[in-house]
Amino acid sequence: MEFELAADADAAALLARLKPLLASRDGRPRNQAVKIVWHDSPEHALLAEGLTLAEHRGAWRLERVTPGAETWLPAQPPPLLSDSPDPAALPSPLAPLAAFEGRRSVSLHRLADSTVTLTIDKGILRAVTAERAVARIGLRGDEPAVRVAATLIAGAVPAAVPGCSLAADAIAMAIGGTPQPRHLGAPVLPGAVRTVPEALAHILGHLTDVILAHAPRVAEAHDDGVHNAIHQMRVAVRRARSAVSIFRPALAEGALDAVSDGLKTLGARLGPARDWDVFADETVPAIQAAIPGDERLDRLAAAASRQRNTHRRDLAQYLASPAFRQLGIELAWFAAASGWRVPQQPPAEAEPAAAAEPLTLAQFADAVLLHRWKKLLSAGKRIEELDIAALHGVRLRAKRVRYAAEMFATLHDAKAAKRFIERLSDLQERLGVLNDGAVASHLLLELGGPGGRHAYAAGAIAGYMAARAGRIRPRIVKAFQRFRRQHAYWA
């Protein structure tokens, strides 16, 4: 396995004195100069295709700089399109766009009863108008040993799974921007993915990229874009946890435990931050607009803003911790590892007749969708009579069906899948209004509740949310009935 971490130059320098690495080293490190130059046309024709032409020691490589439709898992080397590209197929003229120049140290280490090759590239990224010191740490060896080494390094120095390749970082600096996130939004399975383990690797790799892409913005606790970044990061964590739940029965027992535990911890940090964001930035301002100029509401708004900022700071501290860096490594390592990629048993959702042998990816997806769809329909029986707690259960079921439908959408008719997901989203959004009210009631207790300092404002908010819930109930019933009329398009 190959695995890459990013670090600043000072952090990389500390590795030479890290005692566990020194104790495990086999022989002396080898050092050499390294220079990589990335080329493109003046119009950035290669970059427009997500590609770059890299020159290193007289060799030329046409490689990806941003993911295409195919799978490119986090912490893995850039996909190589050609190590001897045809000049006639390249844009012309070509010119150097950016370069990395520095030193490479290569050493062997004995870890987890195996040998790991540790490569440290430390130097300067250069473009015409800017330069910056950087370092990349490469690991190559058996999967368990690579995992041990990566975890050891990330626990000792600020080294983490990179959000982009070194080429992408250099090119972004050269053109005066920031590297494009590798992935955003919901994962989409490429046509080349044929097996259940390949599907899990792609989905988990995609969502790892999304989580890591939003982390820097979330860590800027007072930046204007934090609100949306927290929301998108939380959605990615929920999708990843849903993927763990979906695929767990198809893998060896315990294979997903470390990933599941790490995602649960991150979700527990994101949840309060997101809840206070919605309350402070959406719920309270809506009520202030309905009752303008009320000082008691203004005081509650200020208190809510302070609580929101406290949870944002707590989240930012966690994202800067070794624990979060190690979660990123665990996610990326699991996606890229091959040791677990042997399906054990079909999922519990499979029909008894199909449980005699492993399922194809399409059969696996259909079983998951059918099971979750039936659970949602069952939970929504007599929906017009359900109380708030039961409707919250319907909302969770709807979310689970939607995440599964999004993950497997490319395996079925695109139009039918899109309509199914849209109706699910509509139902989920309307049920979310009730959930916002329940969350607001819980948050008000943290501010003193109906008998505390903000009693009047808390009462006003409770009344507003109750009235809003009353208006949304008929729309929830209508959305559920509309969804229920759909057929199982995967059948």
Side-chain angles (χ1 to χ4, degrees):
M1 166 187 271
E2 293 186 69
F3 203 84
E4 185 180 54
L5 300 173
D8 62 35
D10 292 338
L14 295 175
L15 295 181
R17 301 192 297 273
L18 189 60
K19 289 183 179 180
L21 288 181
L22 286 172
S24 65
R25 195 170 70 194
D26 186 2
R28 295 176 61 85
R30 303 189 309 275
N31 293 281
Q32 65 182 41
V34 59
K35 183 177 181 180
I36 306 171
V37 182
W38 295 282
H39 297 72
D40 204 342
S41 70
E43 298 80 19
H44 306 311
L46 289 175
L47 182 60
E49 299 295 325
L51 306 175
T52 188
L53 185 64
E55 178 190 4
H56 180 221
R57 291 183 173 271
W60 295 83
R61 293 165 51 98
L62 184 64
E63 60 187 36
R64 283 223 157 267
V65 69
T66 56
E70 70 275 12
T71 299
W72 177 7
L73 298 175
Q76 296 301 291
L80 175 64
L81 276 69
S82 174
D83 57 5
S84 56
D86 181 4
L90 298 173
S92 181
L94 289 171
L97 181 60
F100 170 79
E101 191 167 3
R103 301 288 299 177
R104 172 173 293 171
S105 171
V106 181
S107 55
L108 298 179
H109 299 262
R110 295 289 300 179
L111 293 167
D113 299 322
S114 184
T115 299
V116 177
T117 300
L118 169 64
T119 302
I120 303 174
D121 288 342
K122 187 172 63 173
I124 304 294
L125 281 184
R126 287 195 173 94
V128 174
T129 59
E131 64 177 43
R132 177 161 44 87
V134 297
R136 292 290 170 120
I137 302 164
L139 298 165
R140 187 175 70 254
D142 291 341
E143 290 172 1
V146 167
R147 184 185 195 180
V148 169
T151 302
L152 171 67
I153 291 169
V157 302
V161 174
C164 65
S165 67
L166 188 61
D169 196 3
I171 292 169
M173 185 180 71
I175 63 178
T178 57
Q180 176 182 336
R182 285 167 48 92
H183 290 107
L184 292 174
V188 177
L189 287 177
V193 171
R194 301 293 185 186
T195 69
V196 172
E198 286 175 349
L200 173 57
H202 180 89
I203 290 167
L204 201 58
H206 175 107
L207 293 171
T208 299
D209 280 336
V210 178
I211 291 168
L212 296 179
H214 289 298
R217 175 57 62 85
V218 173
E220 299 168 1
H222 297 289
D223 186 86
D224 290 342
V226 173
H227 184 106
N228 183 61
I230 291 174
H231 171 60
Q232 296 300 332
M233 194 175 187
R234 189 188 191 193
V235 170
V237 169
R238 285 178 164 177
R239 283 178 169 139
R241 294 187 69 186
S242 185
V244 168
S245 174
I246 286 170
F247 287 94
R248 190 191 295 274
L251 304 178
E253 185 177 356
L256 285 162
D257 286 354
V259 167
S260 179
D261 291 345
L263 289 169
K264 185 177 180 180
T265 298
L266 176 55
R269 302 283 183 143
L270 286 162
R274 173 58 182 167
D275 289 344
W276 278 104
D277 269 356
V278 172
F279 184 74
D281 295 344
E282 298 176 21
T283 303
V284 175
I287 299 168
Q288 286 178 300
I291 314 175
D294 192 303
E295 293 182 358
R296 291 165 293 187
L297 279 173
D298 293 344
R299 286 195 296 270
L300 182 137
S305 183
R306 288 192 294 271
Q307 285 288 90
R308 177 200 60 197
N309 292 338
T310 295
H311 285 284
R312 282 185 176 181
R313 286 192 296 270
D314 178 66
L315 176 58
Q317 289 174 359
Y318 173 74
L319 297 180
S321 71
F324 179 69
R325 295 196 298 271
Q326 289 168 348
L327 171 59
I329 288 170
E330 193 67 35
L331 289 166
W333 179 88
F334 185 87
S338 61
W340 56 267
R341 295 193 183 199
V342 181
Q344 302 300 305
Q345 297 294 330
E349 293 88 338
E351 296 295 332
E357 59 184 37
L359 303 179
T360 66
L361 176 57
Q363 290 171 331
F364 180 91
D366 292 355
V368 169
L369 288 167
L370 181 62
H371 176 76
R372 293 193 168 199
W373 179 62
K374 286 181 176 179
K375 287 282 189 179
L376 173 56
L377 294 182
S378 176
K381 284 183 178 178
R382 297 188 296 276
I383 192 168
E384 62 279 356
E385 302 174 10
L386 298 182
D387 59 18
I388 297 293
L391 287 172
H392 179 62
V394 174
R395 176 175 168 270
L396 294 179
R397 293 288 181 190
K399 190 181 299 182
R400 289 169 187 154
V401 179
R402 178 186 159 200
Y403 288 159
E406 288 173 341
M407 289 177 196
F408 300 127
T410 57
L411 301 177
H412 304 96
D413 177 70
K415 186 175 180 180
K418 181 181 178 182
R419 182 171 59 249
F420 185 86
I421 292 169
E422 285 176 347
R423 292 187 179 182
L424 261 178
S425 298
D426 183 46
L427 173 62
Q428 187 180 333
E429 182 178 346
R430 296 181 185 191
L431 286 165
V433 173
L434 289 183
N435 185 65
D436 288 346
V439 170
S441 298
H442 173 74
L443 299 183
L444 284 170
L445 292 176
E446 291 189 39
L447 297 177
R453 178 185 175 191
H454 302 288
Y456 168 83
I461 291 174
Y464 176 89
M465 300 306 289
R468 192 180 181 207
R471 292 193 301 271
I472 201 65
R473 269 184 169 275
R475 298 176 63 195
I476 290 172
V477 173
K478 183 178 179 181
F480 184 80
Q481 291 173 343
R482 185 167 177 256
F483 169 76
R484 187 167 52 190
R485 288 196 294 268
Q486 293 185 117
H487 69 286
Y489 67 88
W490 55 87

